Amino acid sequence: MSAVIHLQALGLTEYEARAYTALLALGRAVPARVARQAGIPRPKIYETLERLEGRGLAAKMGQNPLEYAPLSAREYLARARRSFDDRLGALDRDLSRLAPDPAPEAVYHLYGEAAIRSLCEDLTLNARRSLFMAGEASFAAELERLTPRGVELRRTHLTGLPSIAAEGQRAFLLARDGEAALVAHFIDEDGVGQAHGVHTHNPVIIHLIEGYVNLASRQAGSI
């Protein structure tokens, strides 16, 4: 069951996740019935339900017979979301102290198609204002589908302009929000070597890419 897997990802044990989803299905039940519904050994059900109670996911309902009822899944998800956001905030602060933002003039080399595609997807998903991309039409189409709503997208072919890739290679350009850019060279199927590229926050390179994409759009026509 996918809900059990997702609950485990949020920190519940397998038995806790199975017992909680069983309670949600039953509404209110004695431990033995929860154990049967969840497929949990009877000797384990009491401690499992007590842990759920400690997590704020279940509550005792009377003593004779002893029954348990599930507490709000929405409340639990809201708590989990707040906790996750708090941890992300703390991690961001810690990492910022350890490693300051890269200098604008820094250029980082990328090797391998997987690394290039992953970074392009991250840049696209994090766009807030604008995206400029050109080359590799099928890959550009994939990124277009990931573009957040409201972000201005300029996408074009690299035709009618001087080539920026060597023979056997296919160029791809991406600039995001005037803050980050990537220049990549993918390798043809029968080409030699591996895909490679560079990633930078250098404003000069970013503006060059934006200008190149605008020029290609005017000469080749946007797609």
Side-chain angles (χ1 to χ4, degrees), residues 23-214:
L23 277 175
L24 289 173
L26 296 170
R28 175 172 174 170
V30 297
R33 190 178 178 199
V34 178
R36 288 195 301 273
Q37 177 82 10
I40 296 173
R42 287 279 293 274
K44 294 288 186 182
I45 192 60
Y46 289 95
E47 63 184 75
T48 300
L49 289 171
E50 287 176 1
R51 288 200 302 269
L52 284 180
E53 186 178 18
R55 288 181 180 274
L57 287 173
K60 290 189 181 77
M61 305 295 288
Q63 293 293 332
N64 190 23
L66 173 63
E67 292 183 314
Y68 280 85
L71 296 182
S72 170
R74 292 184 182 276
E75 289 294 329
Y76 175 70
L77 290 175
R79 291 198 306 273
R81 187 175 291 111
R82 289 194 297 270
S83 176
F84 186 73
D85 288 343
D86 289 344
R87 291 188 182 191
L88 279 182
L91 177 61
D92 183 40
R93 292 190 295 272
D94 290 344
L95 293 179
S96 296
R97 287 193 291 268
L98 290 171
D101 290 337
E105 65 273 11
V107 175
Y108 303 93
H109 292 272
L110 301 168
Y111 297 97
E113 187 166 329
I116 293 170
R117 287 177 174 270
S118 178
L119 181 57
C120 286
E121 291 172 0
D122 287 344
L123 290 173
T124 300
L125 289 168
N126 290 323
R128 304 183 308 278
R129 299 185 305 275
S130 64
L131 281 169
F132 291 76
M133 63 180 75
E136 275 299 275
S138 61
F139 184 42
E142 294 177 21
L143 295 179
E144 182 173 356
R145 288 191 288 271
L146 298 177
T147 301
R149 182 172 298 180
V151 171
E152 179 185 358
L153 173 64
R154 179 65 60 87
R155 175 186 156 207
T156 185
H157 289 296
L158 284 176
T159 56
L161 293 170
S163 175
I164 58 174
E167 185 176 353
Q169 300 179 1
R170 305 181 311 282
F172 184 76
L173 307 177
L174 177 65
R176 187 210 70 197
D177 295 331
E179 299 173 351
L182 177 143
V183 179
H185 291 164
F186 293 105
I187 306 299
D188 291 339
E189 289 186 7
D190 56 351
V192 178
Q194 66 174 334
H196 56 278
V198 294
H199 168 51
T200 185
H201 297 273
N202 189 309
V204 174
I205 296 177
I206 294 168
H207 292 152
L208 282 173
I209 290 176
E210 292 175 348
Y212 201 84
V213 172
N214 281 328

